[in-house]
Amino acid sequence: ATLEGDQSGDDGEVEELAAEDITIGLSISTLNNPFFGDLQRGVVEAAEENGSTVRSVDAQDDTATQINGIDDLIQQGVDILLINPVDSDAITPAIESANSAGIPVITIDRSSEGGDVLTFIASDNVEGGEMAAEFIIDLVGEDADVVQLEGVPGASATNERGEGFMNVANDRLNVVESQSANFNRSEGLTVMENIIQSYSDIEAVFAQNDEMALGALEALEAAGMTDVIVVGFDGNDDALAEIEAGRLDATIAQQPYEMGTIAVDTVYDYFSGGTIDEEIGAPLELISAE
Amino acid sequence: METKNAAVTRKKERRSELYRKLGPLIALIVLMLIVTVLNVNFIRPANLLNLLRQVSVNALIAFGMTFVIITGGIDLSVGSTLALSSALTAGIIAIGVPPVLAIVSGLLIGAFLGMINGLLITKGNVAPFIGTLATMTIYRGLTLVYTEGNPITGFGGGFAFQFFGRGYLFGIPFPVIITTAAFIILFVILHKMTFGRKTFAIGGNEQAAYIAGIKSDRVKTMVYAISGMMSALAGLILTSRLNSAQPTAGTAYELDAIAAVVIGGTSLAGGKGRIVGTLIGALIIGTLNNGLNLLGVSSFYQQVVRGVVIIIAVLLDRKK
Amino acid sequence: METKNAAVTRKKERRSELYRKLGPLIALIVLMLIVTVLNVNFIRPANLLNLLRQVSVNALIAFGMTFVIITGGIDLSVGSTLALSSALTAGIIAIGVPPVLAIVSGLLIGAFLGMINGLLITKGNVAPFIGTLATMTIYRGLTLVYTEGNPITGFGGGFAFQFFGRGYLFGIPFPVIITTAAFIILFVILHKMTFGRKTFAIGGNEQAAYIAGIKSDRVKTMVYAISGMMSALAGLILTSRLNSAQPTAGTAYELDAIAAVVIGGTSLAGGKGRIVGTLIGALIIGTLNNGLNLLGVSSFYQQVVRGVVIIIAVLLDRKK
Amino acid sequence: MHVEMKGITKSFGENKVLRGVDFSLHSGEVHALMGENGAGKSTLMNILTGLHKKDSGKVLINDEERLYANPKEAEENGVSFIHQEMITWPDMTVLENMFMGKEIKNKLGWVQTKEMEKKAKSVFGELGIDISFDRTMKTLSVGQQQLVEIAKTLLNDAEVIIMDEPTAALTDREIRTLFKIIRQLQKKDVSLVYISHRMEEIFEISDRVTVMRDGVSISTKDTKDTSYDEIVRHMVGRDLEDYYPEMDNAQGEAVLEVRNLTHLPDYEDISFTLHSGEILGFSGLMGAGRTEIMRGIFGIDKIDSGDIYLDGEKIDISTPNDAVKRGIGFLTEDRKSEGLILDFSVRDNISMTAFEEFSKGGWINDKEEEEFVDLLIKRLTVKTAHMELPVGALSGGNQQKVVLAKWIGAGSRVLILDEPTRGVDVGAKREIYNLMKELAERGVGIIMVSSDLPEVIGVSNRVLVVHEGTISGELKREDLSEERIMTLATGGE
Ligand SMILES: Nc1ncnc2c1ncn2[C@@H]1O[C@H](COP(=O)(O)OP(=O)(O)OP(=O)(O)O)[C@@H](O)[C@H]1O
Ligand SMILES: Nc1ncnc2c1ncn2[C@@H]1O[C@H](COP(=O)(O)OP(=O)(O)OP(=O)(O)O)[C@@H](O)[C@H]1O
Ligand SMILES: O[C@@H]1[C@H](O)[C@H](O)CO[C@H]1O
Ligand SMILES: [Mg+2]
Ligand SMILES: [Mg+2]
């Protein structure tokens, strides 16, 4: 009787590989969100440019589907795995199986709690949350009534952005309501509509991603509350357009495409014997109308 | 003696029939009272209009679902139909087709997708549950393929299209007006026209209906087309409201729609049902969602409460 | 002529019966051949074991679902039952209960949740579709309440619990061994024991079953308990494999399970079915998922293909 | 076993179905139970076998008060009930059906198929039945299914067997077999309750007759001491005049012509002409293919070849809708699954075929519909409290009238009636015959498929006999006799 991940893989020297000979396995948490579409595009385009092969699987936001997909990638003998976990805990066993198959792993956007990971590429979500809170305070002042729309419960992005936001807001803002709209635009709309019914004096909304922010925007506009400040997170195309149009106030822009290309660059570094940092930060940027 | 007996039966029957009809309505009123007592904001006209607007999407889908369920079928593909027809309509608007024309095309696309369900079920002889389960996956897949997983936005459509989901007429949100119109039309079709009679007959006993000369394949196909069209209509409202066609829009909407239909007293076995009940069912679900939010109940508990209310509503209906 | 007629009918019937039984198997073999031709990695033993391990979760749920569907019912709550029983088991392990005991408790919790479905349906007289739709929401809500929406991790459980989902015995993944054992036991119960006969009898003609002295309420309640227990078993495997109990685990799993059952030739109308078919159905779906990944088909197209394959499989079965 | 039921009462809700029934059964006798549809015969037997609970009264088994908790307990104590609506599992095998709920199992709880087969084989042998055990029930003819049901009762060493209209779906040959079996059982001292609406059978097989009316037992007599007229009088509460109406209806032009209709292997080369005002009987043995022919004509099943003419004009019927549109109506042999929507009201059932009569452009005029339905209910004297009552709540005969009303309302000029009086009591039967005659007199052409020979002879103007899927002969009214028909039906000249 043995356990999956028991047999440790070859721990020896890294076998150097030319870009054309590398097959990259990519496991994405869900492609139903443009954010991850960009991330995937970053990986695929950077890899193709250098002649590498990419095989990707989509977990559709389900942890079990994700480990199955990673197993399938391992079966195809990919040289390295880029994993964007659905859940930071539940990904551990999959990373351990990759470890035991001797396949190096890089996680992107969300971390892994266990297993050996080459590096972790992500924006600093805590810092992003803090940036949003500071921005809001700049515009509406301290102690204003604000609302937070949270992402998928349990996702590291939700927890970390919430943590960052509350770090600042706890003492300096009055958060009247904080509810989940699952990173989803139509839920953002309905949840916001309902909140408006109880709190007509809110001055700002922080949505943990742009999709929810855009939904909230429609709700506020329908209620004639156009002067409420709305801040999103991600910097996706729709959000940027709305900022341009003066409807959305700001977004904490991540750069998913860059995360993808950084990951691929790291892969090449690794296979040419370079040393890799334990964590690689992806740039975050607050984009607003000014 | 026999006639006296009959009169008594008749009276009793009428009374139980009345209960059956009023049951869901009473449930709705009680629910609204409770929410109002707990948070008076609920009963403010602005919130009620807001509630109605929120309900319109589920109500429209549930209206179509009512026809399907009365024939003894089920349509699991409504959510995916909504997404696919919305995405295609957004695409159509984006290439510059006038919005009214695009809306009509969107409705026809929905009807077409529904018709495919109907043909699978009638000509292919596939059980409705499994046939629409398959198309649910297929239509969703096609939506994702078409949109490449990204929302379609900034497709324009001008005032007409924006008005569709976001406009007001005499202070009433336009989606509410659309829903009311759809309700009236479908009510008439179901309860006042021969098409409705045929729909009931098929659900009551398909073989007998067929032998009585009812073209059951054709009626069923049309019923699924109606369901598809209503999903598309709901999708257009959503798209207009969000100013964006979402590839994941409508996921799991079939469950809310089926719940509305069943709470409204339509039997899943087919042959029995009322579209008024469905409207009330949709209002109950909407009041619950809106009310629980107003009361600040956590979304986790909301799910528990929602399930419990579905059971209570159905049990009340059983007891007549 | 009468006897000749009968003989012809008879022969036809046997042949169609054979097709019915072999249909899904042939579909599976053809599918495996196609995938192998396109990517020979598929047929490697390591991948086949990997495939079997992937299939085990859906197969276990689908086994239980087979019983339910044979009675003419349906269980939409399996995914939520999986999540709730997993979360509670993780909680039990976390407070230090020995893993084997915890596993047993987990299975009993699943059976209990299933029993609630059964009682709702038999005593409450609620249609299975709507009753389990309600508990699906309720159990999911309770899971979220219990876990506060966060995955439960680091609960320990030691080697025994880890082995459950991640172990190997004689080179075979332990989940595959569990699934095989469950299959054999359930096969015997369904096809060799009176309980199985009763299950079929209820689905075939409930009134007749009552007259034959079958306690249909009790049998049905037990059948839903079996379904709940199988969901819990699947959940434990998943929890062990993921080393974490996820509050959203099992979402939409009912659909894959129902698809496996129906592809395997069990009729949604009840009274007819085979658990071997369900196993094959689950393997078809698993092969499809694994194969499409191996072939590098985009996840969007995968959905389309999966829906189309369900339809083809069901149509093939129809045509006998 | 000796059974005594005394003063049994039973109500379903407001409906007092039994109002003090006395009934007794001696060991080894065949006791016929007669009464109009809805008189309460099945209900009484359901009380004896524990399916329904009585409200008051006494049941004595071998002079001891005894109530069975459920049908299974009754069966275990030697009281078996072959129900009117056969209780089977169509998709399960003969063996599974026979042993349902009483499988033989070993210590581990495994079902012992071999032993069950052995036991079944011996019972089949006793009855002279030859049906293989692994066939599914639905592939058997109704007669064969009935035989399996009977064999089932022998598995439990039944001492009392209740047969509720066992011959309703059998033709004469099978009835002969059944009677042989009954006599064998009688020799083994088994008592039988025999419920039937067929008077001839009662006189042939029973020792005593009990007649029920409106939930009360009217009389119990030795069969040899009573008469046809007396039984009928007790059943309907008055004298009935002639059972069959005088068939003096005049016949006109050909309305329906069928030429070389073929659908192998069910029937081949069927040709005949139906005239307006004619009642054309179709006789034949079970499985001869009469129902299949009618389904072919009506467009329910596909045909291989052949032509159909209406008023001399060739028409194409590929669905029932094509037939209905052209004024053809079809009362099917299976009223419950094909003729009616049982939960729907009398009104909805009647109006189903005739929407055009009270709708314009798809809009229904409720008032007109009500008048339309009311007229039909009155014309056919359907006994119903009101038109909103679910059809399932009516007696069998009245249900049959609702189906007829539906086709008359559709303005049918050609009516195909398949076993129109199956399971219908004498009183209602007579009314149906009168209706048929009345329709014929108004120029409707009627095809009547019937397995009831006296009925075929009593109401047909002309009879076609079907044998193994072909028409083996035609008999004019004056040539009709049971012998002639049976000779043709069995392939003789
Ligand atoms: N389960 C029930 N619930 C309500 N009413 C019932 C039920 N069973 C029978 N009845 C009613 O009881 C009456 C007697 O029915 P029963 O079946 O005993 O008549 P029957 O004499 O067997 O008639 P038939 O000759 O048509 O078989 C009918 O009016 C019937 O509608
Ligand atoms: N031995 C059999 N095996 C399978 N099906 C049978 C058998 N006998 C009869 N049937 C079914 O019942 C039908 C009986 O034939 P059909 O009803 O056309 O004859 P019929 O002369 O009208 O007899 P009936 O008096 O029973 O109506 C067959 O066509 C078939 O559908
Ligand atoms: O960082 C990403 C994005 O913000 C997305 O919108 C939701 O998932 C998070 O992990
Ligand atoms: Mg009866
Ligand atoms: Mg027949």
Side-chain angles (χ1 to χ4, degrees):
Chain A
T2 52
L3 269 193
E4 194 182 342
D6 261 3
Q7 56 284 58
S8 54
D10 43 329
D11 244 352
E13 283 293 284
V14 177
E15 180 192 349
E16 298 200 5
L17 280 177
E20 309 78 71
D21 299 330
I22 298 175
T23 304
I24 298 171
L26 173 64
S27 168
I28 295 276
S29 63
T30 172
L31 284 172
N32 293 348
N33 180 328
F35 180 87
F36 299 111
D38 286 346
L39 198 160
Q40 186 189 36
R41 225 165 293 121
V43 171
V44 171
E45 286 173 11
E48 271 174 2
E49 218 168 87
N50 294 290
S52 309
T53 314
V54 178
R55 297 196 175 279
S56 52
V57 290
D58 174 6
Q60 291 165 4
D61 254 339
D62 183 79
T63 47
T65 308
Q66 183 154 44
I67 57 168
N68 287 344
I70 291 173
D71 281 342
D72 292 344
L73 291 174
I74 294 175
Q75 290 308 320
Q76 296 179 67
V78 295
D79 300 303
I80 190 162
L81 276 166
L82 306 185
I83 299 178
N84 157 233
V86 173
D87 181 279
S88 306
D89 283 305
I91 200 64
T92 308
I95 290 176
E96 286 171 359
S97 359
N99 293 156
S100 72
I103 300 174
V105 178
I106 294 173
T107 55
I108 311 175
D109 177 62
R110 297 172 190 167
S111 57
S112 166
E113 292 296 321
D116 293 332
V117 174
L118 214 52
T119 182
F120 167 45
I121 300 165
S123 342
D124 187 338
N125 282 312
V126 179
E127 189 199 323
E130 288 167 351
M131 285 161 71
E134 294 289 357
F135 176 80
I136 288 173
I137 293 170
D138 280 352
L139 285 188
V140 298
E142 303 219 339
D143 294 327
D145 287 354
V146 298
V147 165
Q148 179 177 227
L149 295 180
E150 299 170 25
V152 174
S156 61
T158 305
N159 296 339
E160 290 165 12
R161 285 168 205 173
E163 183 191 331
F165 183 73
M166 293 311 289
N167 280 345
V168 176
N170 259 339
D171 301 329
R172 298 166 59 197
L173 286 170
N174 180 25
V175 181
V176 293
E177 196 66 74
S178 186
Q179 285 189 24
S180 170
N182 287 313
F183 282 140
N184 179 301
R185 195 183 298 197
S186 28
E187 285 187 50
L189 171 69
T190 14
V191 172
M192 197 65 221
E193 277 173 349
N194 293 328
I195 292 176
I196 290 168
Q197 299 310 319
S198 315
Y199 304 98
S200 45
D201 302 330
I202 44 181
E203 294 184 59
V205 175
F206 169 52
Q208 290 181 356
N209 81 348
D210 285 339
E211 289 293 306
M212 296 186 293
L214 295 170
L217 208 58
E218 301 300 338
L220 289 166
E221 191 169 282
M225 299 166 68
T226 42
D227 46 354
V228 175
I229 302 298
V230 179
V231 179
F233 206 114
D234 280 358
N236 71 29
D237 293 344
D238 286 356
L240 297 179
E242 293 294 1
I243 291 175
E244 190 85 354
R247 296 178 62 212
L248 187 65
D249 298 280
T251 181
I252 313 297
Q254 308 195 72
Q255 303 194 343
Y257 188 91
E258 276 68 33
M259 286 187 198
T261 54
I262 292 172
V264 174
D265 290 343
T266 314
V267 169
Y268 296 143
D269 277 354
Y270 174 73
F271 282 115
S272 50
T275 47
I276 313 289
D277 291 339
E278 232 170 71
E279 247 184 83
I280 301 171
L284 265 184
E285 187 188 350
L286 188 140
I287 298 176
S288 63
E290 293 89 55
Chain B
M1 163 97 198
E2 203 179 340
T3 46
K4 193 190 122 205
N5 238 353
V8 171
T9 322
R10 179 98 200 257
K11 210 163 145 195
K12 254 201 160 174
E13 209 181 300
R14 275 214 193 120
R15 199 183 318 144
S16 93
E17 183 61 20
L18 195 72
Y19 277 139
R20 218 172 67 76
K21 285 198 177 154
L22 285 185
L25 186 61
I26 293 170
L28 175 62
I29 293 171
V30 170
L31 190 65
M32 292 179 84
L33 282 177
I34 295 176
V35 179
T36 307
V37 168
L38 295 174
N39 183 341
V40 75
N41 278 332
F42 175 79
I43 208 71
R44 282 177 23 217
N47 184 53
L48 291 181
L49 284 180
N50 164 38
L51 169 67
L52 288 177
R53 190 173 48 192
Q54 288 179 0
V55 162
S56 59
V57 169
N58 183 31
L60 286 170
I61 300 175
F63 292 162
M65 188 72 82
T66 307
F67 279 75
V68 171
I69 290 182
I70 287 175
T71 67
I74 198 139
D75 187 352
L76 301 180
S77 75
V78 285
S80 301
T81 301
L82 180 156
L84 182 52
S85 55
S86 299
L88 292 173
T89 311
I92 291 173
I93 295 179
I95 59 171
V97 174
V100 175
L101 210 64
I103 289 173
V104 172
S105 326
L107 297 180
L108 292 180
I109 291 169
F112 175 75
L113 296 176
M115 217 179 70
I116 292 179
N117 285 329
L119 292 176
L120 263 178
I121 289 160
T122 54
K123 303 299 170 199
N125 203 19
V126 177
F129 190 95
I130 204 75
T132 58
L133 175 65
T135 53
M136 161 174 140
T137 318
I138 295 175
Y139 295 166
R140 179 68 63 191
L142 291 175
T143 312
L144 290 166
V145 168
Y146 178 72
T147 61
E148 298 179 344
N150 298 322
I152 304 183
T153 32
F155 46 80
F159 180 77
F161 190 71
Q162 291 201 11
F163 190 79
F164 202 69
R166 305 161 72 184
Y168 283 84
L169 216 60
F170 317 115
I172 296 171
F174 196 59
V176 176
I177 294 174
I178 294 177
T179 307
T180 311
F183 173 77
I184 293 171
I185 294 171
L186 293 177
F187 177 91
V188 168
I189 293 179
L190 188 61
H191 296 292
K192 299 282 164 202
M193 298 190 70
T194 54
F195 184 82
R197 286 294 175 87
K198 292 175 187 168
T199 306
F200 277 104
I202 289 170
N205 182 344
E206 181 158 5
Q207 183 66 3
Y210 181 66
I211 290 175
I214 292 172
K215 292 180 183 151
S216 58
D217 281 4
R218 191 198 283 182
V219 173
K220 281 209 277 183
T221 308
M222 283 183 67
V223 160
Y224 283 90
I226 290 176
S227 173
M229 188 184 261
M230 287 301 112
S231 307
L233 184 56
L236 293 177
I237 290 178
L238 211 59
T239 307
S240 165
R241 289 212 66 201
L242 290 172
N243 209 357
S244 147
Q246 302 269 318
T248 56
T251 307
Y253 279 19
E254 68 281 1
L255 299 179
D256 266 355
I258 294 168
V261 174
V262 174
I263 291 176
T266 294
S267 152
L268 281 171
K272 241 185 282 187
R274 297 163 317 120
I275 198 167
V276 193
T278 299
L279 178 62
I280 295 172
L283 286 170
I284 289 179
I285 294 178
T287 304
L288 210 57
N289 290 341
N290 176 279
L292 291 171
N293 278 336
L294 285 190
L295 302 179
V297 175
S298 102
S299 66
F300 302 162
Y301 279 105
Q302 288 197 17
Q303 299 198 37
V304 179
V305 175
R306 221 174 306 151
V308 172
V309 170
I310 291 178
I311 291 178
I312 293 176
V314 174
L315 282 181
L316 280 182
D317 198 40
R318 275 306 151 283
K319 297 262 171 284
K320 265 152 273 173
Chain C
M1 167 115 188
E2 201 178 343
T3 44
K4 195 188 121 203
N5 236 353
V8 171
T9 323
R10 186 81 204 281
K11 211 162 145 195
K12 261 196 172 165
E13 195 190 312
R14 276 218 191 117
R15 202 181 316 144
S16 92
E17 184 60 21
L18 194 72
Y19 277 138
R20 218 173 64 77
K21 287 202 174 151
L22 286 185
L25 186 60
I26 293 172
L28 175 62
I29 293 173
V30 170
L31 190 64
M32 292 180 83
L33 281 177
I34 295 176
V35 179
T36 307
V37 168
L38 295 173
N39 183 341
V40 76
N41 277 332
F42 174 78
I43 207 71
R44 280 177 25 215
N47 185 54
L48 291 181
L49 285 178
N50 164 38
L51 167 67
L52 287 177
R53 189 174 50 192
Q54 291 179 0
V55 163
S56 59
V57 169
N58 183 32
L60 286 171
I61 300 175
F63 292 161
M65 188 72 83
T66 307
F67 279 76
V68 171
I69 290 182
I70 287 174
T71 67
I74 199 144
D75 187 352
L76 301 180
S77 75
V78 285
S80 302
T81 301
L82 180 156
L84 182 51
S85 56
S86 298
L88 292 174
T89 310
I92 291 174
I93 294 179
I95 58 169
V97 174
V100 175
L101 210 64
I103 289 174
V104 173
S105 327
L107 296 180
L108 292 179
I109 291 170
F112 175 75
L113 297 175
M115 217 178 70
I116 293 178
N117 285 330
L119 292 175
L120 264 178
I121 289 159
T122 55
K123 303 299 170 202
N125 204 17
V126 177
F129 190 97
I130 204 75
T132 58
L133 176 66
T135 54
M136 162 173 138
T137 319
I138 296 174
Y139 295 166
R140 179 69 63 194
L142 291 176
T143 312
L144 290 165
V145 168
Y146 178 72
T147 62
E148 298 178 345
N150 298 320
I152 304 182
T153 32
F155 46 80
F159 182 76
F161 190 72
Q162 290 200 13
F163 191 79
F164 205 69
R166 304 165 70 189
Y168 283 83
L169 215 59
F170 317 115
I172 297 171
F174 196 59
V176 176
I177 294 174
I178 295 177
T179 308
T180 312
F183 173 75
I184 293 172
I185 294 171
L186 293 176
F187 178 90
V188 168
I189 293 178
L190 187 61
H191 294 295
K192 300 283 166 200
M193 298 187 69
T194 51
F195 183 82
R197 288 288 164 86
K198 292 176 187 165
T199 308
F200 278 103
I202 291 169
N205 185 340
E206 189 157 3
Q207 169 72 3
Y210 176 74
I211 290 176
I214 292 169
K215 298 189 175 118
S216 63
D217 281 5
R218 192 198 284 181
V219 173
K220 281 209 266 183
T221 309
M222 284 183 66
V223 160
Y224 282 91
I226 291 176
S227 174
M229 189 184 262
M230 287 299 111
S231 307
L233 184 57
L236 293 178
I237 290 178
L238 212 58
T239 308
S240 165
R241 282 208 72 196
L242 294 172
N243 209 358
S244 147
Q246 300 272 318
T248 56
T251 307
Y253 280 18
E254 68 281 2
L255 300 179
D256 266 355
I258 294 167
V261 173
V262 175
I263 290 177
T266 294
S267 151
L268 282 171
K272 238 188 291 187
R274 297 163 316 120
I275 196 169
V276 193
T278 300
L279 179 61
I280 295 173
L283 286 171
I284 289 179
I285 294 177
T287 303
L288 212 56
N289 290 343
N290 174 275
L292 292 170
N293 274 343
L294 286 193
L295 301 180
V297 175
S298 104
S299 69
F300 300 164
Y301 279 106
Q302 287 197 16
Q303 299 196 39
V304 179
V305 174
R306 224 174 304 151
V308 170
V309 170
I310 292 179
I311 291 178
I312 292 176
V314 174
L315 282 182
L316 280 182
D317 200 40
R318 275 303 151 285
K319 296 262 170 285
K320 271 152 271 170
Chain D
M1 194 184 268
H2 178 80
V3 178
E4 187 88 40
M5 301 179 82
K6 281 186 187 156
I8 305 292
T9 67
K10 171 75 184 172
S11 302
F12 290 109
E14 300 279 323
N15 188 3
K16 283 191 185 150
V17 173
L18 300 180
R19 298 185 287 154
V21 180
D22 299 330
F23 179 76
S24 70
L25 182 65
H26 305 320
S27 117
E29 77 165 336
V30 176
H31 194 144
L33 187 54
M34 302 216 48
E36 295 187 283
N37 294 119
K41 307 178 291 292
S42 303
T43 305
L44 184 69
M45 292 301 117
N46 277 326
I47 285 173
L48 175 60
T49 53
L51 185 62
H52 294 324
K53 307 268 165 283
K54 62 180 169 49
D55 296 340
S56 66
K58 258 192 203 164
V59 180
L60 304 172
I61 308 281
N62 294 335
D63 300 321
E64 251 176 65
E65 205 165 340
R66 180 74 211 261
L67 264 187
Y68 301 120
N70 54 54
K72 192 177 181 201
E73 194 183 306
E75 210 174 87
E76 284 164 357
N77 286 282
V79 182
S80 287
F81 192 172
I82 302 173
H83 287 261
Q84 184 171 5
E85 313 294 339
M86 250 188 302
I87 308 261
T88 61
W89 290 269
D91 288 315
M92 298 181 87
T93 65
V94 169
L95 196 71
E96 285 169 341
N97 265 279
M98 286 179 72
F99 284 89
M100 183 58 74
K102 43 176 185 273
E103 294 84 358
I104 302 174
K105 37 186 180 173
N106 67 9
K107 285 201 195 91
L108 292 172
W110 289 50
V111 174
Q112 302 301 101
T113 310
K114 283 269 140 54
E115 280 182 37
M116 294 182 347
E117 269 177 11
K118 215 160 74 198
K119 202 163 161 198
K121 199 172 264 164
S122 83
V123 176
F124 271 24
E126 226 173 291
L127 297 175
I129 309 175
D130 181 24
I131 303 171
S132 72
F133 300 126
D134 59 353
R135 290 180 64 177
T136 51
M137 205 69 174
K138 68 173 173 217
T139 64
L140 304 186
S141 70
V142 183
Q144 287 171 317
Q145 294 185 24
Q146 194 73 256
L147 292 177
V148 172
E149 288 285 288
I150 293 166
K152 201 161 117 183
T153 62
L154 297 189
L155 283 178
N156 331 306
D157 300 318
E159 292 174 65
V160 172
I161 300 177
I162 302 156
M163 298 186 178
D164 199 350
E165 300 195 34
T167 56
L170 303 190
T171 42
D172 282 273
R173 197 158 59 181
E174 281 161 323
I175 294 175
R176 299 265 73 83
T177 316
L178 176 67
F179 283 5
K180 240 193 324 205
I181 293 170
I182 291 180
R183 298 229 162 77
Q184 278 175 28
L185 291 170
Q186 228 179 333
K187 277 195 208 115
K188 297 203 284 177
D189 233 22
V190 173
S191 334
L192 284 110
V193 178
Y194 190 90
I195 303 176
S196 174
H197 291 292
R198 292 190 181 169
M199 208 63 83
E200 335 63 90
E201 293 175 359
I202 301 304
F203 284 98
E204 181 175 348
I205 197 74
S206 72
D207 303 312
R208 288 199 296 163
V209 187
T210 293
V211 178
M212 288 175 64
R213 185 172 76 233
D214 291 340
V216 190
S217 41
I218 299 291
S219 67
T220 299
K221 291 205 154 184
D222 285 348
T223 311
K224 58 182 192 309
D225 298 335
T226 182
S227 69
Y228 177 100
D229 288 332
E230 188 181 29
I231 293 178
V232 171
R233 192 167 61 242
H234 288 161
M235 276 172 68
V236 280
R238 63 189 154 88
D239 282 310
L240 268 190
E241 319 92 63
D242 267 346
Y243 198 52
Y244 299 110
E246 182 89 4
M247 298 312 294
D248 53 1
N249 46 316
Q251 292 145 50
E253 302 279 287
V255 271
L256 181 76
E257 274 183 77
V258 172
R259 292 281 160 262
N260 314 105
L261 204 69
T262 299
H263 179 69
L264 294 173
D266 297 321
Y267 53 86
E268 189 173 5
D269 206 20
I270 301 294
S271 300
F272 65 88
T273 305
L274 172 73
H275 302 90
S276 80
E278 179 182 37
I279 298 178
L280 176 59
F282 266 74
S283 191
L285 298 178
M286 168 79 179
R290 295 164 301 170
T291 295
E292 310 300 300
I293 295 169
M294 299 310 151
R295 291 169 69 91
I297 294 173
F298 199 68
I300 300 173
D301 301 330
K302 298 268 162 289
I303 55 172
D304 297 341
S305 61
D307 300 315
I308 297 168
Y309 298 83
L310 194 68
D311 300 326
E313 199 184 306
K314 192 167 166 233
I315 57 169
D316 186 22
I317 297 178
S318 51
T319 66
N321 179 269
D322 298 328
V324 176
K325 264 192 325 219
R326 298 193 159 87
I328 304 176
F330 185 22
L331 180 144
T332 56
E333 65 182 332
D334 189 343
R335 173 171 76 221
K336 293 212 159 118
S337 71
E338 297 183 328
L340 293 168
I341 306 178
L342 291 173
D343 316 329
F344 280 26
S345 62
V346 172
R347 167 199 186 134
D348 282 338
N349 272 282
I350 291 181
S351 63
M352 194 160 50
T353 47
F355 293 129
E356 319 71 51
E357 302 293 323
F358 46 81
S359 68
K360 238 199 223 111
W363 288 75
I364 294 171
N365 182 327
D366 284 335
K367 250 254 167 61
E368 280 179 26
E369 180 186 10
E370 224 162 276
E371 284 163 10
F372 174 84
V373 171
D374 197 49
L375 200 77
L376 282 164
I377 288 179
K378 291 216 175 87
R379 273 240 314 104
L380 279 87
T381 58
V382 179
K383 267 185 233 142
T384 175
H386 52 89
M387 66 170 74
E388 304 300 342
L389 211 64
V391 148
L394 304 191
S395 76
N398 281 299
Q399 289 185 9
Q400 197 70 302
K401 285 192 200 166
V402 170
V403 186
L404 268 175
K406 174 170 103 173
W407 289 118
I408 294 169
S412 304
R413 301 166 44 238
V414 171
L415 260 183
I416 304 172
L417 311 178
D418 194 357
E419 309 287 359
T421 63
R422 180 176 283 178
V424 168
D425 69 54
V426 265
K429 255 185 198 168
R430 238 191 72 94
E431 289 181 55
I432 290 174
Y433 299 144
N434 282 335
L435 262 167
M436 286 168 63
K437 187 186 173 200
E438 193 189 319
L439 287 168
E441 275 166 354
R442 296 200 300 133
V444 177
I446 296 176
I447 293 174
M448 179 184 72
V449 176
S450 170
S451 303
D452 185 337
L453 281 182
E455 169 177 287
V456 170
I457 294 169
V459 294
S460 307
N461 298 116
R462 188 161 56 105
V463 171
L464 295 176
V465 184
V466 180
H467 170 64
E468 293 185 353
T470 56
I471 292 179
S472 59
E474 174 179 336
L475 297 169
K476 299 215 164 41
R477 179 154 183 83
E478 49 278 18
D479 304 330
L480 288 176
S481 72
E482 299 207 10
E483 293 71 33
R484 279 302 292 146
I485 294 178
M486 281 314 289
T487 313
L488 289 168
T490 50
E493 278 305 305

